[in-house]
């Protein structure tokens, strides 16, 4: 693997925002991470709560090509599989909730947010952000309105942030180039093996509405196949609630 560039920010509003604002001068495969994040951004206009030092706040700057390729939309799912593999090496059984939430025992341990930067018709690159709860205190979860967990609480010991970050970055870049050429099909089996939503009645939150149905599977492009009576929906945006 090529040498990766790393930038550490002691305290920042959001690593994703910082990377997007500095995208022109940042090289492909730069790893931006922060000690603390005051305005972490989440999916669907949500925020990402900083649970203190020792947790992972990281954004990968990716400039794979001059033009946007449809496979880039699946990078969050590729990251969710990479993260699961790392967590499995810690002895856990993570699950994926479509499209890219990673859960341990039904509780969210990480969030992934990809933001594309486009100027006019020009594609500038992607910022793939990930936050992983590594060292948190149960009482800090009171600020979060969903079931969440952290690796230290699952394992009953403190987690070395640097060790975890290196393992995740290495796992991500191991098959990254192959993923760029093959897309979701490369990881479909790995993704489905960890999926916790198959054949279940789910509720999907879309931008302005929610859709209910049975999650029948995912397409070769990573879209959710949702069945409601006779109707079948193929969703490429949203979150299973
Ligand atoms: C979500 O589950 O809603 C996605 C959360 C993504 C959070 C990470 S933390 C590092 C990076 N910087 C941000 O502002 N957001 C992402």
């Amino acid at each position: 693997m090529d040498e990766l560039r790393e930038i550490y920010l002691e305290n920042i509003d959001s690593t994703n925002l910082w990377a997007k604002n500095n995208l022109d001068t940042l090289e492909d495969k730069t790893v931006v991470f922060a000690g603390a994040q005051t305005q972490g951004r989440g999916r669907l206009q949500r925020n990402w709560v900083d649970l203190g030092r020792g947790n992972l706040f990281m954004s990968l700057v990716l400039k794979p090509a001059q033009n946007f390729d449809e496979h880039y939309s699946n990078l969050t799912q590729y990251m969710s599989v990479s993260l699961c593999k790392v967590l499995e090496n810690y002895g856990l059984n993570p699950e994926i909730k479509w499209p890219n939430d990673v859960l341990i025992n039904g509780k969210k341990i990480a969030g992934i947010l990809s933001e594309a930067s486009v100027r006019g018709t020009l594609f500038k690159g992607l910022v793939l952000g990930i936050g992983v709860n590594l060292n948190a205190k149960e009482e800090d979860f009171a600020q979060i309105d969903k079931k969440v967990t952290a690796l230290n609480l699952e394992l009953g010991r403190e987690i070395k942030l640097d060790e975890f970050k290196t393992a995740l970055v290495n796992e991500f870049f191991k098959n990254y180039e192959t993923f760029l050429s093959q897309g979701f099909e490369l990881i479909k089996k790995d993704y489905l093996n960890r999926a916790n939503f198959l054949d279940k009645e789910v509720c999907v939150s879309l931008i302005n509405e929610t859709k209910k149905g049975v999650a029948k599977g995912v397409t070769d492009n990573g879209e959710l196949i949702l069945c409601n009576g006779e109707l079948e929906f193929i969703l490429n945006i949203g979150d299973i609630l």
Side-chain angles (χ1 to χ4, degrees), residues 140-159:
D140 294 336
F141 295 158
Q143 330 163 48
I144 303 173
D145 61 355
K146 7 172 108 113
K147 283 198 241 162
V148 286
T149 189
L151 191 52
N152 66 320
L153 300 174
E154 297 297 327
L155 297 179
R157 64 175 165 91
E158 195 184 320
I159 307 302

Side-chain angles (χ1 to χ4, degrees), residues 34-50:
Q37 206 177 226
T38 51
Q39 285 175 55
R41 293 149 72 94
R43 284 167 54 76
L44 307 174
Q45 323 294 333
R46 291 185 301 246
N47 62 347
W48 184 255
V49 177
D50 181 331

Side-chain angles (χ1 to χ4, degrees), residues 13-17 32 37 39-44 46-49 56-59 100-101 108 110-115 127-132 146 239:
D13 45 5
S14 147
T15 55
N16 264 35
L17 194 59
V32 179
Q37 206 177 226
Q39 285 175 55
R41 293 149 72 94
R43 284 167 54 76
L44 307 174
R46 291 185 301 246
N47 62 347
W48 184 255
V49 177
L56 181 69
F57 312 106
M58 177 174 87
S59 298
N100 56 48
D101 272 350
K108 178 160 163 155
I112 301 169
L113 172 69
S114 170
E115 299 187 80
V127 174
L128 181 61
I130 177 162
V132 189
K146 7 172 108 113
D239 255 1

